[in-house]
Amino acid sequence: MRGVIFDGTQPQVVDDLEVRGPGPGEVLVAIQAAGLCHSDLSVIDGTIPFPVPVVLGHEGAGIVEAVGPGVTHVEPGDHVSLSTLANCGTCAQCDRGRPTMCRKAIGYPGKPFSRQGKDLFNFASNSAFAEKTVVKAVQAVKIPKGIPFTSAALIGCGVLTGVGAALNRAKVDRGDTVVVIGTGGIGLNVLQGCRIAGATRIVAVDANPAKEDVARQFGATDFIDASAVDDTVTAVRELLPTGADHTFECVGNVKLIRQAVDLLDRHGQAVLLGVPPADAEASFLVSSMYLDKSILGCRYGSSRPQRDIALYAELYRQGRLLLDELVTETYPVEDFAKAADDAHHGRVARGVLTF
């Protein structure tokens, strides 16, 4: 079968992958569409260290083909959106409703794939860049069959991360003020999460002025072209003189992280979503933090996938959450190189691979 693998040197599309069948508590899914996220590119460029060879992809949707013993919540023929959280469901963190903190969900890649007699790792317990993949049952969330796969694929990472950061981690409330730095796939979902939460002033910041229209479509009330101002902090302060209740850094740049902190109002919180290199260090003025300000890390939107994916699918059906508008371009899997180049240069909000 076809898939995208990375051997530590370069990614390539192959047609001789094999995947084992589902074991106890596992699901075999025929992938129909998979979003290309910057986390996949970060594996390729080394920003995210990961063992190789690996089958890439972690944002997908498809049709259940088979289930292993003990799986009862989905069955063959069901449409599912996949999460990356292969959490155990039984540890203290899972029991407290914090599956993103489950240690079984972090850094334990399996090897369900093989090629030419050699085992390959799965990326993010998912590997959606393959015609078929095996995931833990907890990762497969049933969705209505009327949702296009190209849209449903995006729920499992970009939507969970961005919308979840607003609703679950920051807990944006009605009347709050927000600054979102970076309006790529994650930033757009933060914007619509803040809109859904009822924030009244949502300022989007991006160095690409062409992104203004889509940022406003997703919820921005204001847009600042960072390439056209001398100082972004000053430009935002003209709109929010006392600062923002919430800022979200969605790029992964330490200078922008500093901006996110500097833009906080009293009791404000800066949420870090972008992924800089693993050894990157950021600075801030300690004296600026004493008015109950916070810097928050955020893993996967502090999500609970079995709950949140179903919720977001319903909000989509109600027209309150945008998915179709996120898909800028679709590519057959054979065109992975073009899709990756478009994503790397910011030509698309989200490119989707199809099989």
Side-chain angles (χ1 to χ4, degrees), residues 308-329:
D308 291 349
I309 289 177
L311 170 63
Y312 299 156
E314 180 57 30
L315 290 176
Y316 166 80
R317 295 214 303 173
Q318 295 177 9
R320 297 168 63 190
L321 183 129
L322 306 181
L323 291 178
D324 303 339
E325 296 81 358
L326 282 168
V327 183
T328 312
E329 188 74 53

Side-chain angles (χ1 to χ4, degrees), residues 56-70:
L56 295 173
H58 65 286
E59 185 181 72
I63 301 171
V64 174
E65 191 162 289
V67 300

Side-chain angles (χ1 to χ4, degrees), residues 162-177:
V163 177
L167 300 183
N168 300 330
R169 186 64 169 130
K171 292 181 170 57
V172 175
D173 200 0
R174 294 161 297 178
D176 284 354
T177 57

